[in-house]
Amino acid sequence: PTTEAHGATPVTPDTQSTEVQHTETLPLPTGTPFLWDGNPDSLTLNDFPTQLSSGEQVLEAVTALGPDDAGLYLVCQIPEQDTWLYAACGPGDKQGLILRVGTEWRYDTIPFLSDPAHMPAMAYGDFDGDQAQELAVVPYLGGNTGGNTWGLYMVDFSSGSWDVQQFTPGDYVAILSLSVSSSYDADANTITITAGDAQLTLDMTELGFPVPGGEVVVSPGSLALFTTEGDDLYATFSLDLNAPAIPEGSLDQAVLLHTEVVYTGSAFGLNAPSLSVPEI
């Protein structure tokens, strides 16, 4: 995706920094979602909708858009800190999020709309311990029968610009692949999963596979959920079990890995893992 601050030169998310130059002061916006040309530079403060829309409402409205139309919808808000998040859809398949804090805003081409239509979430906290508040933005990136994937974007205002860091699926899958291991006991037909100091042993016969057809191995799954609690970040990931005689998808999300998310101001990591079996 590409990223653009209103009035500034577009940058890519990996560049992670740009000055927000727009400081227009106008009365608080009024009105309802409207059709626009899809160009964030054409917006004024009065154009932003004030009525919060649910995922179902956004999905219905976007479905009704013509190929050359674009819609703008308020999907998340922290009014006491003058922080607002808007879904920008169209023309065509274009999707993005506009974050507005006070009279400044920033556009990111982040795909977020799928069925079911889970709208993004956001929360303030001092997540890197620098005595300044950051904003965590968690958009829904999609899902399947094995789980749902959420993204994590951190917006840091301390430098005077809006610095954005993304904890990408590629980043956390790489960490999980290195930090999670398993060993299979063929005689007992059990698999022991290890993540840091946490261990969990599962009986494959009890899971319905007395003859898995070979070694059972663990791999990162498709569930990724990020949450906040005060100044702390947490993540839950699913782990899948695979073996030659286990039909694909049969043991997706067989194990849940719970971790703290470490944010340093420039990078993300995972800490203090624990393992559990999902409740049925």
mmCIF file with all atom_site columns, all heavy atoms in Angstrom, residues 15 24 53 62 71 85 89 98 113-114 128 134 144 146 164 166 171-172 177 182-184 208 216 223 251 258 265 268:
data_model
loop_
_atom_site.group_PDB
_atom_site.id
_atom_site.type_symbol
_atom_site.label_atom_id
_atom_site.label_alt_id
_atom_site.label_comp_id
_atom_site.label_asym_id
_atom_site.label_entity_id
_atom_site.label_seq_id
_atom_site.pdbx_PDB_ins_code
_atom_site.Cartn_x
_atom_site.Cartn_y
_atom_site.Cartn_z
_atom_site.occupancy
_atom_site.B_iso_or_equiv
_atom_site.pdbx_formal_charge
_atom_site.auth_seq_id
_atom_site.auth_comp_id
_atom_site.auth_asym_id
_atom_site.auth_atom_id
_atom_site.pdbx_PDB_model_num
ATOM 1   N N   . THR A 1 15  ? 8.779   3.805   4.334  1.00 0.00 ? 15  THR A N   1
ATOM 2   C CA  . THR A 1 15  ? 9.468   5.060   4.612  1.00 0.00 ? 15  THR A CA  1
ATOM 3   C C   . THR A 1 15  ? 9.103   5.563   6.005  1.00 0.00 ? 15  THR A C   1
ATOM 4   O O   . THR A 1 15  ? 9.924   6.135   6.705  1.00 0.00 ? 15  THR A O   1
ATOM 5   C CB  . THR A 1 15  ? 9.076   6.123   3.564  1.00 0.00 ? 15  THR A CB  1
ATOM 6   O OG1 . THR A 1 15  ? 9.339   5.594   2.265  1.00 0.00 ? 15  THR A OG1 1
ATOM 7   C CG2 . THR A 1 15  ? 9.861   7.403   3.759  1.00 0.00 ? 15  THR A CG2 1
ATOM 8   N N   . GLU A 1 24  ? -5.666  23.439  8.383  1.00 0.00 ? 24  GLU A N   1
ATOM 9   C CA  . GLU A 1 24  ? -6.857  24.259  8.162  1.00 0.00 ? 24  GLU A CA  1
ATOM 10  C C   . GLU A 1 24  ? -7.759  24.247  9.392  1.00 0.00 ? 24  GLU A C   1
ATOM 11  O O   . GLU A 1 24  ? -8.014  23.203  9.981  1.00 0.00 ? 24  GLU A O   1
ATOM 12  C CB  . GLU A 1 24  ? -7.622  23.723  6.960  1.00 0.00 ? 24  GLU A CB  1
ATOM 13  C CG  . GLU A 1 24  ? -8.873  24.515  6.615  1.00 0.00 ? 24  GLU A CG  1
ATOM 14  C CD  . GLU A 1 24  ? -9.569  23.928  5.408  1.00 0.00 ? 24  GLU A CD  1
ATOM 15  O OE1 . GLU A 1 24  ? -9.120  22.868  4.919  1.00 0.00 ? 24  GLU A OE1 1
ATOM 16  O OE2 . GLU A 1 24  ? -10.542 24.523  4.950  1.00 0.00 ? 24  GLU A OE2 1
ATOM 17  N N   . SER A 1 53  ? -20.537 4.681   11.250 1.00 0.00 ? 53  SER A N   1
ATOM 18  C CA  . SER A 1 53  ? -21.132 3.613   10.432 1.00 0.00 ? 53  SER A CA  1
ATOM 19  C C   . SER A 1 53  ? -20.610 2.255   10.884 1.00 0.00 ? 53  SER A C   1
ATOM 20  O O   . SER A 1 53  ? -19.429 2.102   11.191 1.00 0.00 ? 53  SER A O   1
ATOM 21  C CB  . SER A 1 53  ? -20.789 3.814   8.955  1.00 0.00 ? 53  SER A CB  1
ATOM 22  O OG  . SER A 1 53  ? -21.340 5.017   8.460  1.00 0.00 ? 53  SER A OG  1
ATOM 23  N N   . VAL A 1 62  ? -20.998 0.563   0.093  1.00 0.00 ? 62  VAL A N   1
ATOM 24  C CA  . VAL A 1 62  ? -19.972 0.383   -0.927 1.00 0.00 ? 62  VAL A CA  1
ATOM 25  C C   . VAL A 1 62  ? -20.501 -0.472  -2.071 1.00 0.00 ? 62  VAL A C   1
ATOM 26  O O   . VAL A 1 62  ? -20.196 -0.229  -3.243 1.00 0.00 ? 62  VAL A O   1
ATOM 27  C CB  . VAL A 1 62  ? -18.712 -0.249  -0.299 1.00 0.00 ? 62  VAL A CB  1
ATOM 28  C CG1 . VAL A 1 62  ? -17.721 -0.664  -1.380 1.00 0.00 ? 62  VAL A CG1 1
ATOM 29  C CG2 . VAL A 1 62  ? -18.056 0.730   0.670  1.00 0.00 ? 62  VAL A CG2 1
ATOM 30  N N   . GLY A 1 71  ? -16.944 6.644   -1.749 1.00 0.00 ? 71  GLY A N   1
ATOM 31  C CA  . GLY A 1 71  ? -17.677 6.936   -0.520 1.00 0.00 ? 71  GLY A CA  1
ATOM 32  C C   . GLY A 1 71  ? -16.724 7.149   0.642  1.00 0.00 ? 71  GLY A C   1
ATOM 33  O O   . GLY A 1 71  ? -15.603 6.630   0.648  1.00 0.00 ? 71  GLY A O   1
ATOM 34  N N   . LEU A 1 85  ? -11.368 7.977   12.501 1.00 0.00 ? 85  LEU A N   1
ATOM 35  C CA  . LEU A 1 85  ? -10.879 7.104   11.436 1.00 0.00 ? 85  LEU A CA  1
ATOM 36  C C   . LEU A 1 85  ? -11.997 6.886   10.427 1.00 0.00 ? 85  LEU A C   1
ATOM 37  O O   . LEU A 1 85  ? -13.125 6.529   10.789 1.00 0.00 ? 85  LEU A O   1
ATOM 38  C CB  . LEU A 1 85  ? -10.419 5.761   12.010 1.00 0.00 ? 85  LEU A CB  1
ATOM 39  C CG  . LEU A 1 85  ? -9.607  4.853   11.090 1.00 0.00 ? 85  LEU A CG  1
ATOM 40  C CD1 . LEU A 1 85  ? -8.267  5.499   10.731 1.00 0.00 ? 85  LEU A CD1 1
ATOM 41  C CD2 . LEU A 1 85  ? -9.374  3.495   11.752 1.00 0.00 ? 85  LEU A CD2 1
ATOM 42  N N   . CYS A 1 89  ? -13.595 4.499   0.159  1.00 0.00 ? 89  CYS A N   1
ATOM 43  C CA  . CYS A 1 89  ? -13.790 3.428   -0.810 1.00 0.00 ? 89  CYS A CA  1
ATOM 44  C C   . CYS A 1 89  ? -14.087 4.009   -2.195 1.00 0.00 ? 89  CYS A C   1
ATOM 45  O O   . CYS A 1 89  ? -14.925 4.890   -2.334 1.00 0.00 ? 89  CYS A O   1
ATOM 46  C CB  . CYS A 1 89  ? -14.949 2.530   -0.390 1.00 0.00 ? 89  CYS A CB  1
ATOM 47  S SG  . CYS A 1 89  ? -14.737 1.759   1.217  1.00 0.00 ? 89  CYS A SG  1
ATOM 48  N N   . ILE A 1 98  ? -8.475  6.923   6.308  1.00 0.00 ? 98  ILE A N   1
ATOM 49  C CA  . ILE A 1 98  ? -8.035  8.281   6.579  1.00 0.00 ? 98  ILE A CA  1
ATOM 50  C C   . ILE A 1 98  ? -8.083  8.495   8.088  1.00 0.00 ? 98  ILE A C   1
ATOM 51  O O   . ILE A 1 98  ? -9.154  8.397   8.702  1.00 0.00 ? 98  ILE A O   1
ATOM 52  C CB  . ILE A 1 98  ? -8.911  9.324   5.865  1.00 0.00 ? 98  ILE A CB  1
ATOM 53  C CG1 . ILE A 1 98  ? -8.786  9.181   4.345  1.00 0.00 ? 98  ILE A CG1 1
ATOM 54  C CG2 . ILE A 1 98  ? -8.507  10.736  6.284  1.00 0.00 ? 98  ILE A CG2 1
ATOM 55  C CD1 . ILE A 1 98  ? -9.670  10.129  3.561  1.00 0.00 ? 98  ILE A CD1 1
ATOM 56  N N   . LEU A 1 113 ? -11.807 -3.839  3.737  1.00 0.00 ? 113 LEU A N   1
ATOM 57  C CA  . LEU A 1 113 ? -13.214 -4.209  3.639  1.00 0.00 ? 113 LEU A CA  1
ATOM 58  C C   . LEU A 1 113 ? -13.368 -5.578  3.014  1.00 0.00 ? 113 LEU A C   1
ATOM 59  O O   . LEU A 1 113 ? -12.946 -5.815  1.888  1.00 0.00 ? 113 LEU A O   1
ATOM 60  C CB  . LEU A 1 113 ? -13.972 -3.171  2.803  1.00 0.00 ? 113 LEU A CB  1
ATOM 61  C CG  . LEU A 1 113 ? -15.492 -3.334  2.759  1.00 0.00 ? 113 LEU A CG  1
ATOM 62  C CD1 . LEU A 1 113 ? -16.083 -3.185  4.155  1.00 0.00 ? 113 LEU A CD1 1
ATOM 63  C CD2 . LEU A 1 113 ? -16.116 -2.321  1.806  1.00 0.00 ? 113 LEU A CD2 1
ATOM 64  N N   . SER A 1 114 ? -13.923 -6.498  3.774  1.00 0.00 ? 114 SER A N   1
ATOM 65  C CA  . SER A 1 114 ? -14.221 -7.832  3.275  1.00 0.00 ? 114 SER A CA  1
ATOM 66  C C   . SER A 1 114 ? -15.483 -8.311  3.974  1.00 0.00 ? 114 SER A C   1
ATOM 67  O O   . SER A 1 114 ? -16.035 -7.621  4.826  1.00 0.00 ? 114 SER A O   1
ATOM 68  C CB  . SER A 1 114 ? -13.051 -8.786  3.529  1.00 0.00 ? 114 SER A CB  1
ATOM 69  O OG  . SER A 1 114 ? -12.774 -8.873  4.912  1.00 0.00 ? 114 SER A OG  1
ATOM 70  N N   . ASP A 1 128 ? 5.741   2.347   23.740 1.00 0.00 ? 128 ASP A N   1
ATOM 71  C CA  . ASP A 1 128 ? 7.192   2.144   23.695 1.00 0.00 ? 128 ASP A CA  1
ATOM 72  C C   . ASP A 1 128 ? 7.903   2.719   24.918 1.00 0.00 ? 128 ASP A C   1
ATOM 73  O O   . ASP A 1 128 ? 9.132   2.716   24.988 1.00 0.00 ? 128 ASP A O   1
ATOM 74  C CB  . ASP A 1 128 ? 7.793   2.752   22.417 1.00 0.00 ? 128 ASP A CB  1
ATOM 75  C CG  . ASP A 1 128 ? 7.543   4.254   22.305 1.00 0.00 ? 128 ASP A CG  1
ATOM 76  O OD1 . ASP A 1 128 ? 6.919   4.831   23.216 1.00 0.00 ? 128 ASP A OD1 1
ATOM 77  O OD2 . ASP A 1 128 ? 7.971   4.843   21.286 1.00 0.00 ? 128 ASP A OD2 1
ATOM 78  N N   . GLU A 1 134 ? 1.302   7.032   21.808 1.00 0.00 ? 134 GLU A N   1
ATOM 79  C CA  . GLU A 1 134 ? 1.202   6.591   20.425 1.00 0.00 ? 134 GLU A CA  1
ATOM 80  C C   . GLU A 1 134 ? -0.232  6.131   20.167 1.00 0.00 ? 134 GLU A C   1
ATOM 81  O O   . GLU A 1 134 ? -0.995  5.889   21.101 1.00 0.00 ? 134 GLU A O   1
ATOM 82  C CB  . GLU A 1 134 ? 2.172   5.440   20.126 1.00 0.00 ? 134 GLU A CB  1
ATOM 83  C CG  . GLU A 1 134 ? 3.640   5.798   20.196 1.00 0.00 ? 134 GLU A CG  1
ATOM 84  C CD  . GLU A 1 134 ? 4.184   5.781   21.605 1.00 0.00 ? 134 GLU A CD  1
ATOM 85  O OE1 . GLU A 1 134 ? 3.827   4.874   22.381 1.00 0.00 ? 134 GLU A OE1 1
ATOM 86  O OE2 . GLU A 1 134 ? 4.969   6.708   21.937 1.00 0.00 ? 134 GLU A OE2 1
ATOM 87  N N   . ASN A 1 144 ? -10.630 -16.440 6.708  1.00 0.00 ? 144 ASN A N   1
ATOM 88  C CA  . ASN A 1 144 ? -11.191 -17.641 6.094  1.00 0.00 ? 144 ASN A CA  1
ATOM 89  C C   . ASN A 1 144 ? -11.692 -18.535 7.209  1.00 0.00 ? 144 ASN A C   1
ATOM 90  O O   . ASN A 1 144 ? -11.791 -18.109 8.365  1.00 0.00 ? 144 ASN A O   1
ATOM 91  C CB  . ASN A 1 144 ? -10.145 -18.348 5.213  1.00 0.00 ? 144 ASN A CB  1
ATOM 92  C CG  . ASN A 1 144 ? -8.855  -18.646 5.963  1.00 0.00 ? 144 ASN A CG  1
ATOM 93  O OD1 . ASN A 1 144 ? -8.895  -19.048 7.127  1.00 0.00 ? 144 ASN A OD1 1
ATOM 94  N ND2 . ASN A 1 144 ? -7.716  -18.435 5.326  1.00 0.00 ? 144 ASN A ND2 1
ATOM 95  N N   . GLY A 1 146 ? -10.236 -20.757 8.717  1.00 0.00 ? 146 GLY A N   1
ATOM 96  C CA  . GLY A 1 146 ? -9.192  -21.031 9.706  1.00 0.00 ? 146 GLY A CA  1
ATOM 97  C C   . GLY A 1 146 ? -8.921  -19.889 10.642 1.00 0.00 ? 146 GLY A C   1
ATOM 98  O O   . GLY A 1 146 ? -8.222  -20.067 11.645 1.00 0.00 ? 146 GLY A O   1
ATOM 99  N N   . VAL A 1 164 ? 4.799   6.357   11.057 1.00 0.00 ? 164 VAL A N   1
ATOM 100 C CA  . VAL A 1 164 ? 3.965   5.156   11.086 1.00 0.00 ? 164 VAL A CA  1
ATOM 101 C C   . VAL A 1 164 ? 4.828   3.918   10.926 1.00 0.00 ? 164 VAL A C   1
ATOM 102 O O   . VAL A 1 164 ? 5.639   3.827   10.000 1.00 0.00 ? 164 VAL A O   1
ATOM 103 C CB  . VAL A 1 164 ? 2.895   5.192   9.964  1.00 0.00 ? 164 VAL A CB  1
ATOM 104 C CG1 . VAL A 1 164 ? 2.073   3.907   9.975  1.00 0.00 ? 164 VAL A CG1 1
ATOM 105 C CG2 . VAL A 1 164 ? 1.987   6.400   10.144 1.00 0.00 ? 164 VAL A CG2 1
ATOM 106 N N   . GLN A 1 166 ? 4.498   -0.370  10.731 1.00 0.00 ? 166 GLN A N   1
ATOM 107 C CA  . GLN A 1 166 ? 3.546   -1.462  10.520 1.00 0.00 ? 166 GLN A CA  1
ATOM 108 C C   . GLN A 1 166 ? 4.167   -2.780  10.956 1.00 0.00 ? 166 GLN A C   1
ATOM 109 O O   . GLN A 1 166 ? 5.301   -3.100  10.589 1.00 0.00 ? 166 GLN A O   1
ATOM 110 C CB  . GLN A 1 166 ? 3.136   -1.563  9.050  1.00 0.00 ? 166 GLN A CB  1
ATOM 111 C CG  . GLN A 1 166 ? 2.121   -2.678  8.793  1.00 0.00 ? 166 GLN A CG  1
ATOM 112 C CD  . GLN A 1 166 ? 1.839   -2.897  7.324  1.00 0.00 ? 166 GLN A CD  1
ATOM 113 O OE1 . GLN A 1 166 ? 2.474   -2.269  6.466  1.00 0.00 ? 166 GLN A OE1 1
ATOM 114 N NE2 . GLN A 1 166 ? 0.912   -3.785  7.015  1.00 0.00 ? 166 GLN A NE2 1
ATOM 115 N N   . ASP A 1 171 ? 6.320   -10.050 8.995  1.00 0.00 ? 171 ASP A N   1
ATOM 116 C CA  . ASP A 1 171 ? 7.170   -9.880  10.169 1.00 0.00 ? 171 ASP A CA  1
ATOM 117 C C   . ASP A 1 171 ? 6.830   -10.887 11.253 1.00 0.00 ? 171 ASP A C   1
ATOM 118 O O   . ASP A 1 171 ? 7.704   -11.580 11.777 1.00 0.00 ? 171 ASP A O   1
ATOM 119 C CB  . ASP A 1 171 ? 7.025   -8.459  10.732 1.00 0.00 ? 171 ASP A CB  1
ATOM 120 C CG  . ASP A 1 171 ? 7.579   -7.398  9.802  1.00 0.00 ? 171 ASP A CG  1
ATOM 121 O OD1 . ASP A 1 171 ? 8.461   -7.730  8.987  1.00 0.00 ? 171 ASP A OD1 1
ATOM 122 O OD2 . ASP A 1 171 ? 7.115   -6.245  9.883  1.00 0.00 ? 171 ASP A OD2 1
ATOM 123 N N   . TYR A 1 172 ? 5.550   -10.954 11.641 1.00 0.00 ? 172 TYR A N   1
ATOM 124 C CA  . TYR A 1 172 ? 5.244   -11.822 12.779 1.00 0.00 ? 172 TYR A CA  1
ATOM 125 C C   . TYR A 1 172 ? 5.234   -13.293 12.400 1.00 0.00 ? 172 TYR A C   1
ATOM 126 O O   . TYR A 1 172 ? 5.536   -14.151 13.235 1.00 0.00 ? 172 TYR A O   1
ATOM 127 C CB  . TYR A 1 172 ? 3.962   -11.399 13.511 1.00 0.00 ? 172 TYR A CB  1
ATOM 128 C CG  . TYR A 1 172 ? 2.687   -11.295 12.729 1.00 0.00 ? 172 TYR A CG  1
ATOM 129 C CD1 . TYR A 1 172 ? 2.022   -12.410 12.245 1.00 0.00 ? 172 TYR A CD1 1
ATOM 130 C CD2 . TYR A 1 172 ? 2.093   -10.052 12.506 1.00 0.00 ? 172 TYR A CD2 1
ATOM 131 C CE1 . TYR A 1 172 ? 0.827   -12.303 11.561 1.00 0.00 ? 172 TYR A CE1 1
ATOM 132 C CE2 . TYR A 1 172 ? 0.894   -9.930  11.827 1.00 0.00 ? 172 TYR A CE2 1
ATOM 133 C CZ  . TYR A 1 172 ? 0.265   -11.056 11.358 1.00 0.00 ? 172 TYR A CZ  1
ATOM 134 O OH  . TYR A 1 172 ? -0.926  -10.938 10.684 1.00 0.00 ? 172 TYR A OH  1
ATOM 135 N N   . SER A 1 177 ? 7.814   -18.501 13.071 1.00 0.00 ? 177 SER A N   1
ATOM 136 C CA  . SER A 1 177 ? 8.489   -19.644 12.449 1.00 0.00 ? 177 SER A CA  1
ATOM 137 C C   . SER A 1 177 ? 9.808   -19.958 13.148 1.00 0.00 ? 177 SER A C   1
ATOM 138 O O   . SER A 1 177 ? 10.217  -21.127 13.227 1.00 0.00 ? 177 SER A O   1
ATOM 139 C CB  . SER A 1 177 ? 8.733   -19.367 10.963 1.00 0.00 ? 177 SER A CB  1
ATOM 140 O OG  . SER A 1 177 ? 7.504   -19.204 10.280 1.00 0.00 ? 177 SER A OG  1
ATOM 141 N N   . SER A 1 182 ? 8.297   -27.915 17.408 1.00 0.00 ? 182 SER A N   1
ATOM 142 C CA  . SER A 1 182 ? 7.496   -29.055 17.861 1.00 0.00 ? 182 SER A CA  1
ATOM 143 C C   . SER A 1 182 ? 8.300   -30.336 17.725 1.00 0.00 ? 182 SER A C   1
ATOM 144 O O   . SER A 1 182 ? 9.244   -30.417 16.927 1.00 0.00 ? 182 SER A O   1
ATOM 145 C CB  . SER A 1 182 ? 6.195   -29.165 17.057 1.00 0.00 ? 182 SER A CB  1
ATOM 146 O OG  . SER A 1 182 ? 6.471   -29.421 15.682 1.00 0.00 ? 182 SER A OG  1
ATOM 147 N N   . SER A 1 183 ? 7.933   -31.317 18.533 1.00 0.00 ? 183 SER A N   1
ATOM 148 C CA  . SER A 1 183 ? 8.520   -32.657 18.421 1.00 0.00 ? 183 SER A CA  1
ATOM 149 C C   . SER A 1 183 ? 7.388   -33.677 18.480 1.00 0.00 ? 183 SER A C   1
ATOM 150 O O   . SER A 1 183 ? 6.455   -33.534 19.277 1.00 0.00 ? 183 SER A O   1
ATOM 151 C CB  . SER A 1 183 ? 9.524   -32.897 19.551 1.00 0.00 ? 183 SER A CB  1
ATOM 152 O OG  . SER A 1 183 ? 8.901   -32.801 20.818 1.00 0.00 ? 183 SER A OG  1
ATOM 153 N N   . TYR A 1 184 ? 7.483   -34.689 17.630 1.00 0.00 ? 184 TYR A N   1
ATOM 154 C CA  . TYR A 1 184 ? 6.422   -35.691 17.527 1.00 0.00 ? 184 TYR A CA  1
ATOM 155 C C   . TYR A 1 184 ? 6.914   -37.031 18.057 1.00 0.00 ? 184 TYR A C   1
ATOM 156 O O   . TYR A 1 184 ? 7.985   -37.504 17.677 1.00 0.00 ? 184 TYR A O   1
ATOM 157 C CB  . TYR A 1 184 ? 5.972   -35.835 16.075 1.00 0.00 ? 184 TYR A CB  1
ATOM 158 C CG  . TYR A 1 184 ? 4.944   -36.924 15.854 1.00 0.00 ? 184 TYR A CG  1
ATOM 159 C CD1 . TYR A 1 184 ? 3.705   -36.865 16.480 1.00 0.00 ? 184 TYR A CD1 1
ATOM 160 C CD2 . TYR A 1 184 ? 5.228   -38.013 15.031 1.00 0.00 ? 184 TYR A CD2 1
ATOM 161 C CE1 . TYR A 1 184 ? 2.764   -37.864 16.280 1.00 0.00 ? 184 TYR A CE1 1
ATOM 162 C CE2 . TYR A 1 184 ? 4.290   -39.007 14.820 1.00 0.00 ? 184 TYR A CE2 1
ATOM 163 C CZ  . TYR A 1 184 ? 3.054   -38.931 15.455 1.00 0.00 ? 184 TYR A CZ  1
ATOM 164 O OH  . TYR A 1 184 ? 2.126   -39.925 15.263 1.00 0.00 ? 184 TYR A OH  1
ATOM 165 N N   . GLY A 1 208 ? -8.632  -37.010 17.121 1.00 0.00 ? 208 GLY A N   1
ATOM 166 C CA  . GLY A 1 208 ? -9.340  -37.694 16.049 1.00 0.00 ? 208 GLY A CA  1
ATOM 167 C C   . GLY A 1 208 ? -8.458  -38.268 14.964 1.00 0.00 ? 208 GLY A C   1
ATOM 168 O O   . GLY A 1 208 ? -8.961  -38.685 13.911 1.00 0.00 ? 208 GLY A O   1
ATOM 169 N N   . VAL A 1 216 ? 3.900   -35.337 12.695 1.00 0.00 ? 216 VAL A N   1
ATOM 170 C CA  . VAL A 1 216 ? 2.999   -34.200 12.849 1.00 0.00 ? 216 VAL A CA  1
ATOM 171 C C   . VAL A 1 216 ? 3.850   -32.973 13.157 1.00 0.00 ? 216 VAL A C   1
ATOM 172 O O   . VAL A 1 216 ? 4.719   -33.003 14.029 1.00 0.00 ? 216 VAL A O   1
ATOM 173 C CB  . VAL A 1 216 ? 1.985   -34.434 13.984 1.00 0.00 ? 216 VAL A CB  1
ATOM 174 C CG1 . VAL A 1 216 ? 1.018   -33.250 14.080 1.00 0.00 ? 216 VAL A CG1 1
ATOM 175 C CG2 . VAL A 1 216 ? 1.213   -35.737 13.763 1.00 0.00 ? 216 VAL A CG2 1
ATOM 176 N N   . LEU A 1 223 ? -4.949  -16.992 11.976 1.00 0.00 ? 223 LEU A N   1
ATOM 177 C CA  . LEU A 1 223 ? -5.532  -16.078 12.956 1.00 0.00 ? 223 LEU A CA  1
ATOM 178 C C   . LEU A 1 223 ? -4.450  -15.169 13.523 1.00 0.00 ? 223 LEU A C   1
ATOM 179 O O   . LEU A 1 223 ? -3.401  -15.639 13.989 1.00 0.00 ? 223 LEU A O   1
ATOM 180 C CB  . LEU A 1 223 ? -6.192  -16.854 14.096 1.00 0.00 ? 223 LEU A CB  1
ATOM 181 C CG  . LEU A 1 223 ? -6.622  -16.028 15.314 1.00 0.00 ? 223 LEU A CG  1
ATOM 182 C CD1 . LEU A 1 223 ? -7.762  -15.086 14.942 1.00 0.00 ? 223 LEU A CD1 1
ATOM 183 C CD2 . LEU A 1 223 ? -7.008  -16.904 16.485 1.00 0.00 ? 223 LEU A CD2 1
ATOM 184 N N   . LEU A 1 251 ? -6.995  -29.434 11.148 1.00 0.00 ? 251 LEU A N   1
ATOM 185 C CA  . LEU A 1 251 ? -6.472  -29.004 12.444 1.00 0.00 ? 251 LEU A CA  1
ATOM 186 C C   . LEU A 1 251 ? -5.905  -27.586 12.366 1.00 0.00 ? 251 LEU A C   1
ATOM 187 O O   . LEU A 1 251 ? -4.921  -27.260 13.031 1.00 0.00 ? 251 LEU A O   1
ATOM 188 C CB  . LEU A 1 251 ? -5.419  -29.992 12.952 1.00 0.00 ? 251 LEU A CB  1
ATOM 189 C CG  . LEU A 1 251 ? -5.962  -31.362 13.376 1.00 0.00 ? 251 LEU A CG  1
ATOM 190 C CD1 . LEU A 1 251 ? -4.842  -32.266 13.850 1.00 0.00 ? 251 LEU A CD1 1
ATOM 191 C CD2 . LEU A 1 251 ? -7.016  -31.211 14.480 1.00 0.00 ? 251 LEU A CD2 1
ATOM 192 N N   . HIS A 1 258 ? -0.434  -16.977 22.734 1.00 0.00 ? 258 HIS A N   1
ATOM 193 C CA  . HIS A 1 258 ? -0.692  -15.653 23.273 1.00 0.00 ? 258 HIS A CA  1
ATOM 194 C C   . HIS A 1 258 ? 0.644   -15.012 23.643 1.00 0.00 ? 258 HIS A C   1
ATOM 195 O O   . HIS A 1 258 ? 1.483   -15.645 24.298 1.00 0.00 ? 258 HIS A O   1
ATOM 196 C CB  . HIS A 1 258 ? -1.584  -15.738 24.508 1.00 0.00 ? 258 HIS A CB  1
ATOM 197 C CG  . HIS A 1 258 ? -2.788  -16.609 24.328 1.00 0.00 ? 258 HIS A CG  1
ATOM 198 N ND1 . HIS A 1 258 ? -3.960  -16.161 23.760 1.00 0.00 ? 258 HIS A ND1 1
ATOM 199 C CD2 . HIS A 1 258 ? -2.988  -17.918 24.615 1.00 0.00 ? 258 HIS A CD2 1
ATOM 200 C CE1 . HIS A 1 258 ? -4.848  -17.138 23.725 1.00 0.00 ? 258 HIS A CE1 1
ATOM 201 N NE2 . HIS A 1 258 ? -4.279  -18.228 24.230 1.00 0.00 ? 258 HIS A NE2 1
ATOM 202 N N   . GLY A 1 265 ? 9.540   1.681   19.234 1.00 0.00 ? 265 GLY A N   1
ATOM 203 C CA  . GLY A 1 265 ? 9.536   2.970   18.562 1.00 0.00 ? 265 GLY A CA  1
ATOM 204 C C   . GLY A 1 265 ? 9.989   2.864   17.122 1.00 0.00 ? 265 GLY A C   1
ATOM 205 O O   . GLY A 1 265 ? 9.729   3.749   16.312 1.00 0.00 ? 265 GLY A O   1
ATOM 206 N N   . PHE A 1 268 ? 9.074   -4.065  16.045 1.00 0.00 ? 268 PHE A N   1
ATOM 207 C CA  . PHE A 1 268 ? 8.164   -4.871  16.854 1.00 0.00 ? 268 PHE A CA  1
ATOM 208 C C   . PHE A 1 268 ? 8.805   -6.212  17.194 1.00 0.00 ? 268 PHE A C   1
ATOM 209 O O   . PHE A 1 268 ? 9.645   -6.719  16.449 1.00 0.00 ? 268 PHE A O   1
ATOM 210 C CB  . PHE A 1 268 ? 6.853   -5.129  16.101 1.00 0.00 ? 268 PHE A CB  1
ATOM 211 C CG  . PHE A 1 268 ? 6.030   -3.904  15.824 1.00 0.00 ? 268 PHE A CG  1
ATOM 212 C CD1 . PHE A 1 268 ? 6.210   -3.176  14.661 1.00 0.00 ? 268 PHE A CD1 1
ATOM 213 C CD2 . PHE A 1 268 ? 5.070   -3.493  16.728 1.00 0.00 ? 268 PHE A CD2 1
ATOM 214 C CE1 . PHE A 1 268 ? 5.450   -2.056  14.396 1.00 0.00 ? 268 PHE A CE1 1
ATOM 215 C CE2 . PHE A 1 268 ? 4.297   -2.362  16.470 1.00 0.00 ? 268 PHE A CE2 1
ATOM 216 C CZ  . PHE A 1 268 ? 4.484   -1.645  15.301 1.00 0.00 ? 268 PHE A CZ  1
#
